[in-house]
Amino acid sequence: MLVLDCPFCGPRNESEFAYGGPALAPRPADPSAVSDADWVDWLTVPPNPMGEVEERWWHLRGCGAWLTVRRHTVTHAVTEVRLGR
């Protein structure tokens, strides 16, 4: 089980949080310049690398803050937790 260190509430069990998905790159400035296939991939295919990823977590059963968490997908070691994006 993950322990996430909320900046407001301190270390908390992952059961207090709701997973919000991967922290994605911003939408393209001009979506019409992106191919249909690339746009569908950006919208529907989440990255799933082995190694560090950035994810969004909502402290649902706590302060309500949205956090960006850097986590290793193999070891589940959390290396960074910050507010927002």
Side-chain angles (χ1 to χ4, degrees):
M1 188 155 310
L2 293 176
V3 174
L4 301 177
D5 192 8
C6 177
F8 299 114
C9 305
R12 294 292 191 262
N13 186 294
E14 74 175 291
S15 64
E16 291 189 14
F17 294 84
Y19 178 69
L24 298 174
R27 286 180 179 253
D30 182 12
S32 62
V34 178
S35 73
D36 288 345
D38 288 342
W39 186 244
V40 169
D41 282 350
W42 189 90
L43 290 170
T44 62
V45 180
N48 190 22
M50 289 180 72
E52 286 202 342
V53 295
E54 284 194 344
E55 302 170 325
R56 305 280 290 140
W57 289 80
W58 178 32
H59 199 174
L60 175 66
R61 293 176 186 90
C63 63
W66 276 95
L67 307 175
T68 299
V69 174
R70 182 175 292 272
R71 179 182 67 85
H72 196 283
T73 59
V74 176
T75 65
H76 297 292
V78 174
T79 57
E80 180 183 8
V81 177
R82 66 181 188 274
L83 288 173
R85 289 201 179 260

